[in-house]
Amino acid sequence: MNTVTLTIDGKTITVPAGTTVLNAAKKLGIHIPIFCYHGELEPIGACRMCLVEIEKMPKLAISCATVASEGMVVYTRTEKVLKAQKGMLEFLLINHPLDCPVCDKGGECELQDNTFSFGPAASRFDDLKRRYVKRDLNEVIRLDMNRCIMCRRCVRTCADLHGEGVLGVVERGFRSEIDMFKGGETECTYCGDCIEACPVGALTSIPFRFKARVWELKKTDSVCAYCADGCRMTLETREQEILRVRDRLTPGEYLSTEHLCSKGHFGFDYVNKPERLRTPLLRKNGQLVPVSWEEAFEYAAKELKRIKEVQGGKSIGILASPRLGTEDLFLAKKLAGDILETPNLDHLLTPLGTFEDDSFQRLAAHPAKLEDIEVAQAIVVIGTDISQSNPLARLRIIRSSYRNIGKVITLYPHDMGLKGYVSHELKPRFGSEPSAVGFGLTRALTETAPVNAEIKSRLNNTLEQVSQETGIDAPFFLEAAKTLAGAERRVILFGREVLSHPQRNEYLKAIENLVTLLNSLENGITRVSWLPEYNNSRGAYDLGIKPGEKGLAFNGMMEAATRGELKALYVIGENPMVRGYCPEEIKASLGKLDFLMVQDLFLTETAQLAHLVLPATSFAEKDSTYVAGDGLAQKLTPAFSPKEDARADWYILAGLAQAMGTDWGLISPADIMTLAAKEIPGFQMIDNSKLGRDGLYLDYPTPEKLPTQWQEIHKYTPLVPLTDNRFDVIIENNLFHSGSLSRYATVLNKLSGAAYVQISRMDAKRLNLSEGQKVTLSTARGRFSLPLKIRKHQGAGTLIVPSNFTEVPIFNLFSKEETRHQVELIAG
Amino acid sequence: MSTPTLEFKPETMIKFKELAAKYPSSRSALLPTLYLAQEEFGYLSDEAILYVADLLDLEPMEVNSTASYYVMFHRHPVGKCIIALCTNISCALEGAYSVLEHLKKILNVDAEETSADKLFTLKKEECLGACGSGPVMLINQYLFEYLTPEKTEKIIQALKSGKSLVEVHQEFQQTDGRSAQKIHQTGKEVLLKRMIGFPSSASFETYQQQGGYEAWKKALTSMKPEDVIEQVKQSGLRGRGGAGFPAGMKWSFVPKNIDKPRYLVCNADESEPGTFKDRQIMERDPHLLVEGICIACYAIESHQAFIYIRGEYPYSAVRMEKALEEARKTGMLGENIFGTGYELNITVHSGAGAYECGEESAQLDSLEGKRGEPRLRPPFPAVKGLYGCPTIINNVETLANVPAIITNGPQWYAAMGTEKNTGTRIYNVSGHVVSPGPYELPMGIPLRELIYDYCGGIRDGRKLKAVIPGGASTPVLTPDEIDVNMDFDSLAKAGTMLGSAAVIVMDDRTCIVQAALRIMEFYRDESCGKCTPCREGTYWMANILRRIENGQGKMEDLDLILDICDNIAGKSFCPFGDAEVGVPVSTIKKFREEYEYHIKNKKCRVSGELRLI
């Protein structure tokens, strides 16, 4: 590596070539004040706070953008520099109000700190200060332009880091303002990150406003409990209340290099809700009444024992949520296997079905790490609106593109919220995606790269055929294939809509073939990753939370209950009454059970039907481990003790085992993980004590070249596009929701607005529909109405319906057998 | 509101598609598209912003952020006629404020307001580049020069009576004997020679008859690009935009053997108050500029050039477009020029009202459809400029010098002027001289000779009080300092700058405090706001100067201003910071007693008949 040696304030240091003076000084422990500098972004040199004196340079230089050179001699504390620093702070303060006593930023304000260390004691400004009216940019961000110092960290975070461009500078000169433009298609996915970026109190959090002085807050490292990206966060709490959630902080730094999406920042307030379950509830005379844990355990043990003895273990089922901790899931499996002796275990609700397909298992065998995305030269994203499903994976894609490292290829019928960062946007018609991947991209690869000749001989379609089927012109495939073939490191990500696709099997095989083909190239490494949905989906998958031999998945359990074969169901952290297909049928099935036990934070729709309800703890009160989508196991630390009688899921499971006569001897999550490490392949390394602050990756087998089998896709034909007012429905999760916990998160619900159905502009024009107009979705099973959202880049012939609003009974419209979800759209 | 509620008429849509096709990157079409939208929808409402964003696939905030940066884009409803009255220093010296007061009275509005009948919006405009013929105003795209309150009232009455703007403008030009800037002959002309004595100096025929495009042919058919650079180097030609950087050397910075397009951008954002030379070239001899651009492009092996013309020069843009059309038709531009296989396209791009866009890197951002804010250097534009490609930015006058250098040789050129300041210079003289206007003279002419011999001295027998020698960014000279030669080095030695050679002459009726305040308000309003010292410093100083003017000044304010200037100079992001302190520092140093008088007596020391604010 090339290095340069320079001297700063008399101290000499050798740094890699390209290092800025600011960062070289930092390594020497020399503090140079900054405002607009942001380590993740290109310097802009706007604030002029970091000026230093450099020998042979006529003017002071900004250390944030001046690259260290050999023999450079830098001074950071000369009279000239000190005067400039005082001058800049005086400039910044002429219009800044002195309202620190009532400013939420007080105590963590960079202007305050820099003024204390470098500023003038008094201001010579005695004219009128520029004045703005404070206003709310949205439900969670308040803008006080009076405090703004125009460092633009918020705007750059929004535009360059997040690729959103919702915030911007308007006007110019001393009239410049930060503003948000409303009415566009984009809603920021990372709402709240701009607040984190603000060095002063110009952007503050409305939910946090005036709640506390920051130094009173207890800070606890935790992991987000929503999607599978495994974002680390810092919980800021007082007593048993979370007051604020921030990107995980590095001690001594104001700016974090880790980020959170809107859910991470603002989705926590359900933890504080008074509706949280606080004691076990037992149904007595038709009413759920509070009981002690002793009584609850005794009752549960008695019921489960009785049913097991009479009908056998097979008459009992467990549905454990992928939101649970690894310890909880492991014990749920152990309970099913060792004590209840039932193979009926599941962690999934449709529409994703099971994960038994061979292709899926090979594709999911060794996930790419999220950090692999940042160094890949080609990134392929297939079948998910990644901005909604995996916002932080998206952020890494943007970062790679921003740094000119990776080229992005997307394959999806709709917009993926990656505008401006995509090199090759392949938008197949809905229902032709398997063709686009399995015949289009693969065929193009055979034409542009030295692929395995044997495989090549098996692909006898032409790109013209694929173009006709998919609506993507051949050159687009060829260009994308060139990028793929030329890359040394490739990452392929596939998501939810591959798994929920009507032609899921073909789709998965197509992806496998693409990977196989790339693996047959001499150069380059291809990594492939399934982007799971929930915080511990990967953990649940790796632990094998699935039906055992001849066991039933959830839908099977419901059918068995209807037939009277399943007598008891233990639902842990799930709510099938809202998230399963045909809630009415589920309700009828559940009604047939002798014993329904539900363990949750809230009295959910399912819990309301239960015989016994057990109060569990939230992520904030939990000592637990989540395995992120890329296999990173990370530890959560409890920020405070559980509310009243709520208990951790693992604790309840162990208590239940004990009540049934088996003492596992497990008294802490660490004990459980030690045991899991022994029993579950891949978990060997995950010893609780070694997890530390950064977590550990699970140990997956044979990483380098998987899969390598060519899958024949027999007699594939794309779905026939629907016509007139008939549409394919794509059931999606809106970012601001996840369907369960988020429903109790008040702030998130304000951000997400009302439920909607989303249509392409082309279809809206064709049917003469307008934005916000009410439309009815109708099938033979039912109908409901929602206002319309129109999107320019959505695929034609589709409706995107977010399933996770309570007011969207989308699962009522389809049977669980249907794989293609078709509706009729009626205006009004 | 994700589906736009507005839509262009079909014919506008055709225009949009044509202009979008002119740029390598669609975002560059943002400014011209905003002009189209403004014309079609009256002003840039939120709906219009959304529509433009949708057309160009940009975030609405990106469009809004850009639109709100430029003063010629209106985010609020405006009148049918936008009266942009220049009130900057040169026009102010000619009585612009009495015209402004009169306009306010007859329209019954304040500045920046729209009349009740929605016919007129009155705007206090910054320099319109017609400083030798002030006061001037631009009504929509028509320029009215040599205004007086009476003439202005006639114009307004005519417009109110329902006459079209075209008619009114024509009438104004025909009936008023003094309706356009006169080019004063010095006998030393190189650049302006065709403008004197050739009524149709702008036409291709005139240009060709006078030997036009011979240099282009010579360069392209008989010289190698590096020979062209060498000749320009030898000529000693220095940049005429203000900094005086050797043009040939700048060209040689373009990296060789790079697999990227190279661009030439002609900086026609002539915004330095007091400057109007480039406008003369573009409007009266546009082919001279086209030829200069052609040769410069060839020198750096560029096949695409842009002429970035400030939005306040709509007529220059029309003239340049016409000249380019003629040049394309006659094979001077396009594919396979002179049968050599060389291809070259030149595109006119209009700014939208932002002084900062004259700064070369800010101009590139503006050309890319962004806010015109300066970029960090390094990398320098010659290495990484427009769209990240090697780019050379040259001023109009600089490029206009190139054909003569190629035709007559570098030695011929270097023989004019002084050793290190070769060639001629168009001196833009405005203010209180007998004959203001452009004077082309050899570099290094003594300032006294320029003012007294060429411009006829101070008007009405008054006394000279101060001269700004190179535009509003340059420190003032006192009457006993005018025995200085007008070239880059001599003026630097005298503690000031040649800049754009905009000589602003002030007589003894001029209040120095008002002049400084007027200039400071210009800098305050034109600062892009990116860096702290410039954004806050101009605001602060304008406040202080305004206070002093209003009689609320304090003696310590003067040293405070000097210290603020010290905190700006050399510390701002771009040269704008150094520019904005030139006048306050030099006037406080050289006219301190006048400031002190103002503070002590709460009024001007001069009579007050001439208001500059």
Side-chain angles (χ1 to χ4, degrees):
Chain A
M1 184 170 39
N2 288 335
T3 59
V4 294
T5 302
L6 72 161
T7 308
I8 307 176
D9 292 346
K11 296 181 196 167
T12 301
I13 186 169
T14 302
V15 292
T19 306
T20 60
V21 171
L22 179 72
N23 286 326
K26 200 173 174 182
K27 282 191 180 168
L28 280 171
I30 296 169
H31 176 60
I32 299 173
I34 49 131
F35 287 114
C36 68
Y37 176 79
H38 185 306
E40 289 176 87
L41 297 167
E42 293 292 321
I44 58 163
C47 74
R48 318 307 286 177
M49 196 60 220
C50 68
L51 290 168
V52 293
E53 201 167 341
I54 299 176
E55 277 184 9
K56 292 179 198 150
M57 286 197 188
K59 292 178 179 181
L60 296 179
I62 43 170
S63 56
C64 70
T66 304
V67 173
S69 63
E70 189 58 39
M72 193 180 247
V73 182
V74 183
Y75 302 97
T76 74
R77 307 281 293 171
T78 63
E79 212 172 292
K80 228 169 135 188
V81 172
L82 295 180
K83 179 168 190 292
Q85 288 169 340
K86 276 198 172 66
M88 293 313 138
L89 282 161
E90 187 178 33
F91 283 139
L92 289 173
L93 288 167
I94 65 172
N95 284 307
H96 191 89
L98 296 177
D99 62 350
C100 309
V102 292
C103 176
D104 276 340
K105 196 74 182 178
E108 55 181 23
C109 171
E110 293 172 51
L111 183 59
Q112 220 174 30
D113 287 5
N114 280 339
T115 304
F116 184 80
S117 304
F118 302 95
S123 172
R124 295 171 291 178
F125 181 83
D126 59 2
D127 296 273
L128 281 179
K129 286 181 190 263
R130 194 170 55 214
R131 274 293 152 259
Y132 299 91
V133 178
K134 293 170 202 169
R135 59 205 169 93
D136 296 347
L137 292 181
N138 64 6
E139 298 289 345
V140 293
I141 305 172
R142 175 151 306 170
L143 171 67
D144 183 348
M145 263 315 292
N146 298 315
R147 294 180 185 151
C148 178
I149 58 167
M150 291 309 288
C151 69
R152 305 187 182 191
R153 272 176 11 192
C154 56
V155 171
R156 289 146 66 215
T157 295
C158 185
D160 298 339
L161 208 55
H162 298 156
E164 300 280 10
V166 181
L167 285 179
V169 179
V170 296
E171 302 296 329
R172 73 178 183 213
F174 79 103
R175 294 185 181 88
S176 301
E177 276 186 66
I178 303 299
D179 203 0
M180 188 185 262
F181 195 94
K182 290 195 176 148
E185 288 197 351
T186 314
E187 294 147 46
C188 178
T189 311
Y190 309 90
C191 193
D193 240 25
C194 50
I195 301 175
E196 301 258 357
C198 182
V200 294
L203 296 175
T204 51
S205 154
I206 294 171
F208 180 62
R209 201 167 165 77
F210 301 146
K211 285 264 173 69
R213 300 309 304 190
V214 294
W215 52 85
E216 310 176 278
L217 298 172
K218 180 186 159 198
K219 293 176 167 43
T220 310
D221 280 351
S222 191
V223 179
C224 184
Y226 281 105
C227 88
D229 284 345
C231 302
R232 300 183 276 216
M233 45 173 50
T234 298
L235 305 181
E236 298 190 329
T237 58
R238 191 173 51 195
E239 295 177 356
Q240 280 185 303
E241 203 180 355
I242 308 180
L243 292 181
R244 183 167 69 164
V245 171
R246 298 192 60 190
D247 302 346
R248 190 175 76 162
L249 303 170
T250 308
E253 296 276 342
Y254 279 127
L255 264 180
S256 174
T257 53
E258 300 188 20
H259 302 277
L260 293 173
C261 72
S262 316
K263 268 195 290 194
H265 278 126
F266 297 109
F268 62 82
D269 59 354
Y270 68 88
V271 173
N272 303 338
K273 279 282 157 82
E275 298 94 308
R276 283 275 303 276
L277 293 172
R278 282 150 199 274
T279 66
L281 301 170
L282 181 63
R283 192 168 296 278
K284 290 182 180 173
N285 303 322
Q287 295 291 313
L288 285 171
V289 295
V291 293
S292 69
W293 274 107
E294 288 76 18
E295 189 178 344
F297 279 141
E298 197 182 311
Y299 184 84
K302 190 188 77 196
E303 283 297 290
L304 291 171
K305 266 189 194 163
R306 178 180 62 76
I307 293 167
K308 187 184 160 192
E309 270 159 32
V310 179
Q311 263 102 2
K314 280 189 176 167
S315 62
I316 305 174
I318 297 182
L319 177 66
S321 166
R323 298 204 164 286
L324 297 173
T326 308
E327 295 82 352
D328 311 324
L329 290 167
F330 177 73
L331 288 196
K333 187 178 177 182
K334 210 168 164 55
L335 183 77
D338 296 1
I339 297 171
L340 301 176
E341 293 172 6
T342 175
N344 304 329
L345 174 68
D346 199 2
H347 75 276
L348 274 178
L349 285 170
T350 38
L352 299 190
T354 64
F355 289 148
E356 294 306 293
D357 350 24
D358 291 345
S359 279
F360 176 79
Q361 295 200 7
R362 280 189 294 272
L363 289 169
H366 189 94
K369 296 174 184 171
L370 280 190
E371 59 195 42
D372 290 342
I373 295 173
E374 291 190 35
V375 294
Q377 285 109 356
I379 304 158
V380 190
V381 192
I382 302 175
T384 184
D385 179 354
I386 198 162
S387 62
Q388 303 283 322
S389 64
N390 300 74
L392 269 288
R394 170 182 178 273
L395 198 143
R396 288 176 189 260
I397 294 171
I398 289 173
R399 203 182 284 175
S400 162
S401 177
Y402 176 71
R403 294 181 184 160
N404 289 320
I405 299 169
K407 287 197 169 166
V408 183
I409 301 165
T410 59
L411 199 142
Y412 189 53
H414 323 290
D415 180 29
M416 220 184 254
L418 277 171
K419 186 166 68 182
Y421 296 92
V422 182
S423 301
H424 310 277
E425 188 181 47
L426 307 178
K427 283 174 85 178
R429 253 194 299 276
F430 175 77
S432 73
E433 299 95 323
S435 175
V437 180
F439 300 114
L441 262 183
T442 47
R443 177 79 224 174
L445 265 174
T446 63
E447 289 182 21
T448 51
V451 297
N452 180 299
E454 197 259 315
I455 297 178
K456 192 172 175 175
S457 69
R458 294 212 222 168
L459 260 172
N460 45 22
N461 65 302
T462 64
L463 276 183
E464 285 60 43
Q465 288 167 337
V466 185
S467 293
Q468 283 219 320
E469 285 173 5
T470 59
I472 301 168
D473 290 337
F476 286 92
F477 283 119
L478 290 167
E479 288 299 313
K482 249 185 237 162
T483 296
L484 264 177
E488 270 302 310
R489 287 183 294 272
R490 316 174 189 101
V491 169
I492 296 174
L493 308 168
F494 67 97
R496 178 189 158 105
E497 276 156 49
V498 173
L499 300 174
S500 63
H501 196 272
Q503 297 169 317
R504 163 183 165 133
N505 285 332
E506 289 84 353
Y507 207 162
L508 284 168
K509 278 183 185 176
I511 297 173
E512 189 175 2
N513 284 352
L514 175 65
V515 178
T516 302
L517 207 56
L518 289 170
N519 276 336
S520 81
L521 295 177
E522 294 237 317
N523 70 313
I525 296 172
T526 307
R527 293 218 187 277
V528 57
S529 220
W530 154 51
L531 295 169
E533 273 190 88
Y534 300 112
N535 54 315
N536 208 13
S537 289
R538 184 77 217 186
Y541 178 75
D542 288 332
L543 284 166
I545 306 300
K546 59 180 180 185
E549 206 173 318
K550 291 188 181 161
L552 301 171
F554 179 72
N555 288 338
M557 292 187 220
M558 289 299 95
E559 285 158 18
T562 310
R563 292 193 301 270
E565 290 163 22
L566 192 86
K567 290 294 178 191
L569 181 67
Y570 181 14
V571 179
I572 316 172
E574 257 307 353
N575 188 12
M577 279 296 295
V578 169
R579 306 197 332 109
Y581 275 100
C582 319
E584 285 311 307
E585 287 176 20
I586 291 176
K587 189 175 181 180
S589 303
L590 295 177
K592 295 229 169 171
L593 294 170
D594 283 359
F595 182 50
L596 174 63
M597 176 159 67
V598 177
Q599 184 169 312
D600 212 313
L601 301 184
F602 294 95
L603 194 62
T604 63
E605 289 78 355
T606 309
Q608 285 166 27
L609 305 174
H611 301 97
L612 181 62
V613 180
L614 303 175
T617 55
S618 73
F619 80 107
E621 299 137 349
K622 224 168 178 171
D623 181 348
S624 192
T625 313
Y626 292 160
V627 182
D630 63 350
L632 180 65
Q634 301 183 99
K635 222 170 117 55
L636 287 81
T637 319
F640 41 76
S641 56
K643 311 229 162 176
E644 292 183 28
D645 270 347
R647 291 290 176 263
D649 293 284
W650 68 269
Y651 183 90
I652 302 172
L653 282 153
L656 205 55
Q658 198 166 26
M660 292 186 72
T662 307
D663 187 350
W664 282 326
L666 302 167
I667 55 161
S668 74
D671 290 346
I672 303 171
M673 286 308 282
T674 308
L675 190 62
K678 278 187 207 140
E679 293 187 8
I680 311 287
F683 281 69
Q684 302 90 298
M685 302 296 292
I686 311 304
D687 182 328
N688 222 17
S689 61
K690 290 185 199 151
L691 277 179
R693 214 167 171 252
D694 293 325
L696 282 172
Y697 283 95
L698 293 194
D699 202 11
Y700 294 101
T702 50
E704 290 309 325
K705 295 237 168 179
L706 257 180
T708 50
Q709 287 154 284
W710 184 260
Q711 304 298 314
E712 286 303 334
I713 304 172
H714 296 291
K715 290 182 196 149
Y716 173 78
T717 45
L719 298 177
V720 179
L722 302 177
T723 51
D724 303 326
N725 65 340
R726 286 172 64 238
F727 285 85
D728 278 299
V729 165
I730 292 160
I731 301 170
E732 198 192 66
N733 280 339
N734 175 283
L735 168 81
F736 299 101
H737 267 303
S738 63
S740 46
L741 296 176
S742 58
R743 290 165 54 215
Y744 299 94
T746 318
V747 175
L748 266 189
N749 290 343
K750 279 187 196 164
L751 275 175
S752 65
Y756 55 87
V757 52
Q758 198 172 296
I759 194 170
S760 73
R761 189 184 287 177
M762 206 195 295
D763 287 325
K765 261 197 180 156
R766 179 171 61 84
L767 298 173
N768 202 16
L769 299 168
S770 55
E771 183 82 17
Q773 182 179 353
K774 211 152 204 175
V775 291
T776 299
L777 272 55
S778 164
T779 67
R781 299 176 72 93
R783 54 166 53 200
F784 65 86
S785 303
L786 281 176
L788 201 63
K789 238 187 205 183
I790 301 172
R791 285 292 176 270
K792 189 177 179 185
H793 298 292
Q794 184 168 325
T798 62
L799 298 175
I800 293 178
V801 181
S803 64
N804 36 21
F805 289 89
T806 359
E807 57 272 43
V808 184
I810 186 72
F811 294 119
N812 287 348
L813 299 195
F814 312 107
S815 74
K816 47 186 180 281
E817 290 78 26
E818 284 172 85
T819 51
R820 185 175 189 181
H821 299 133
Q822 306 177 25
V823 297
E824 217 171 291
L825 183 78
I826 304 153
Chain B
M1 214 199 273
S2 63
T3 308
T5 48
L6 297 174
E7 212 173 331
F8 277 155
K9 289 181 205 139
E11 58 269 30
T12 315
M13 200 60 180
I14 293 168
K15 276 192 211 163
F16 164 73
K17 286 187 173 149
E18 277 169 8
L19 68 88
K22 290 202 302 195
Y23 299 96
S25 152
S26 67
R27 181 156 182 176
S28 280
L30 179 52
L31 262 57
T33 308
L34 286 169
Y35 273 121
L36 285 183
Q38 184 159 284
E39 200 180 307
E40 181 135 338
F41 308 129
Y43 72 103
L44 296 174
S45 60
D46 282 358
E47 289 77 11
I49 296 284
L50 277 169
Y51 179 56
V52 171
D54 194 77
L55 279 174
L56 293 167
D57 245 327
L58 295 168
E59 284 300 329
M61 189 65 211
E62 293 175 312
V63 176
N64 187 33
S65 179
T66 299
S68 67
Y69 182 85
Y70 298 94
V71 294
M72 295 179 76
F73 292 132
H74 310 299
R75 289 286 277 113
H76 299 287
V78 285
K80 215 174 122 199
C81 296
I82 297 167
I83 304 171
L85 176 74
C86 174
T87 58
N88 207 305
I89 186 73
S90 296
C91 281
L93 292 170
E94 295 282 13
Y97 279 85
S98 56
V99 176
L100 178 70
E101 290 312 313
H102 196 67
L103 272 169
K104 283 184 189 174
K105 205 177 82 193
I106 58 175
L107 296 172
N108 194 23
V109 293
D110 214 334
E112 318 308 320
E113 285 181 358
T114 299
S115 61
D117 57 9
K118 306 269 185 274
L119 258 180
F120 303 100
T121 297
L122 179 60
K123 290 187 72 188
K124 255 174 84 178
E125 190 61 277
E126 295 303 354
C127 183
L128 288 172
C131 321
S133 49
V136 299
M137 66 183 175
L138 198 59
I139 304 185
N140 299 350
Q141 63 270 46
Y142 294 96
L143 186 69
F144 295 83
E145 296 166 83
Y146 297 109
L147 294 175
T148 60
E150 299 70 39
K151 287 197 216 172
T152 313
E153 182 163 351
K154 259 171 71 186
I155 295 165
I156 299 299
Q157 291 313 339
L159 287 169
K160 273 190 178 168
S161 75
K163 280 192 187 161
S164 76
L165 188 52
V166 192
E167 262 178 289
V168 174
H169 186 248
Q170 250 168 18
E171 250 170 49
F172 178 78
Q173 289 200 311
Q174 284 158 4
T175 55
D176 197 280
R178 217 166 65 124
S179 66
Q181 177 66 59
K182 186 173 175 254
I183 309 288
H184 304 285
Q185 193 162 5
T186 65
K188 312 279 171 65
E189 282 83 2
V190 174
L191 304 173
L192 302 184
K193 62 179 181 203
R194 271 175 303 276
M195 298 178 202
I196 303 157
F198 292 95
S200 54
S201 61
S203 75
F204 179 79
E205 290 69 30
T206 306
Y207 190 66
Q208 211 181 23
Q209 280 158 18
Q210 295 296 308
Y213 288 111
E214 284 305 317
W216 174 217
K217 191 169 186 180
K218 179 180 171 189
L220 189 58
T221 56
S222 71
M223 291 168 80
K224 282 192 263 177
E226 50 270 33
D227 299 339
V228 177
I229 295 181
E230 191 49 40
Q231 296 229 335
V232 172
K233 271 188 183 169
Q234 282 176 20
S235 76
L237 174 65
R238 292 171 70 171
R240 302 298 198 237
F245 194 83
M249 197 191 292
K250 197 180 205 177
W251 295 356
S252 68
F253 291 156
V254 173
K256 305 278 168 228
N257 312 320
I258 187 168
D259 183 26
K260 272 183 178 176
R262 297 118 190 265
Y263 296 107
L264 183 105
V265 177
C266 168
N267 187 343
D269 191 62
E270 179 174 64
S271 309
E272 177 70 19
T275 319
F276 49 99
K277 62 188 176 69
D278 296 343
R279 194 164 66 85
Q280 312 307 327
I281 295 172
M282 289 189 285
E283 294 182 6
R284 302 186 197 210
D285 200 357
H287 285 283
L288 176 63
L289 178 58
V290 174
E291 186 173 11
I293 292 173
C294 290
I295 298 167
C297 280
Y298 177 64
I300 62 161
E301 297 173 68
S302 164
H303 302 281
Q304 172 69 55
F306 293 93
I307 310 175
Y308 185 102
I309 303 179
R310 63 189 301 227
E312 293 89 340
Y313 284 8
Y315 189 57
S316 296
V318 169
R319 275 295 170 107
M320 288 313 304
E321 290 277 20
K322 185 162 179 283
L324 290 173
E325 183 61 35
E326 289 168 338
R328 274 189 288 266
K329 276 196 185 138
T330 51
M332 302 296 121
L333 286 174
E335 291 165 18
N336 194 19
I337 304 165
F338 304 133
T340 58
Y342 199 82
E343 183 185 347
L344 177 60
N345 294 302
I346 303 178
T347 304
V348 168
H349 182 92
S350 284
Y355 171 73
E356 179 62 13
C357 291
E359 196 280 337
E360 60 175 19
S361 67
Q363 185 161 97
L364 297 181
D365 262 20
S366 179
L367 189 45
E368 289 180 9
K370 301 172 189 162
R371 299 164 66 83
E373 292 174 355
R375 298 177 178 180
L376 272 178
R377 273 159 295 194
F380 289 90
V383 178
K384 199 176 167 199
L386 192 63
Y387 314 121
C389 301
T391 305
I392 291 295
I393 302 115
N394 283 137
N395 169 262
V396 171
E397 188 188 351
T398 314
L399 291 166
N401 270 301
V402 174
I405 293 172
I406 297 300
T407 304
N408 304 315
Q411 286 72 30
W412 165 84
Y413 190 82
M416 292 183 287
T418 69
E419 192 196 340
K420 288 190 173 150
N421 294 266
T422 57
T424 63
R425 188 83 219 243
I426 306 172
Y427 297 101
N428 321 252
V429 187
S430 66
H432 299 143
V433 291
V434 172
S435 305
Y439 292 84
E440 187 180 357
L441 289 160
M443 274 277 202
I445 178 118
L447 178 54
R448 181 181 299 279
E449 202 180 314
L450 177 65
I451 294 175
Y452 287 95
D453 297 356
Y454 286 98
C455 302
I458 308 305
R459 217 179 289 165
D460 304 331
R462 294 192 172 275
K463 269 168 61 189
L464 175 65
K465 182 169 188 176
V467 188
I468 295 178
S473 305
T474 59
V476 300
L477 296 171
T478 56
D480 51 7
E481 292 174 320
I482 61 169
D483 289 307
V484 62
N485 293 345
M486 292 292 284
D487 60 62
F488 291 111
D489 302 321
S490 308
L491 282 165
K493 227 168 128 188
T496 181
M497 287 184 288
L498 178 59
S500 60
V503 181
I504 305 168
V505 180
M506 296 178 246
D507 70 17
D508 53 2
R509 293 170 305 159
T510 312
C511 171
I512 287 295
V513 176
Q514 283 188 9
L517 170 59
R518 182 61 193 85
I519 288 173
M520 188 49 65
E521 285 185 341
F522 163 75
Y523 283 110
R524 179 197 62 193
D525 293 344
E526 293 295 334
S527 166
C528 77
K530 181 171 182 167
C531 78
T532 306
C534 182
R535 179 185 67 243
E536 305 294 336
T538 50
Y539 170 80
W540 192 358
M541 285 196 283
N543 261 339
I544 298 172
L545 289 167
R546 177 61 74 170
R547 248 190 315 109
I548 296 175
E549 165 62 19
N550 288 348
Q552 290 145 357
K554 294 173 286 189
M555 275 310 168
E556 56 268 34
D557 283 340
L558 301 180
D559 287 334
L560 177 57
I561 290 177
L562 291 178
D563 194 55
I564 292 171
C565 289
D566 181 59
N567 285 340
I568 297 171
K571 297 169 192 73
S572 59
F573 189 101
C574 77
F576 192 114
D578 296 330
E580 72 208 18
V581 305
V583 166
V585 170
S586 60
T587 54
I588 290 179
K589 284 189 177 157
K590 296 177 184 177
F591 295 90
R592 190 168 181 122
E593 77 294 347
E594 187 166 339
Y595 277 97
E596 288 175 352
Y597 181 94
H598 224 300
I599 293 169
K600 251 186 245 158
N601 302 290
K602 303 183 192 308
K603 60 173 189 184
C604 302
R605 195 163 68 178
V606 296
S607 67
E609 64 184 281
L610 177 66
R611 292 210 54 86
L612 303 180
I613 47 144

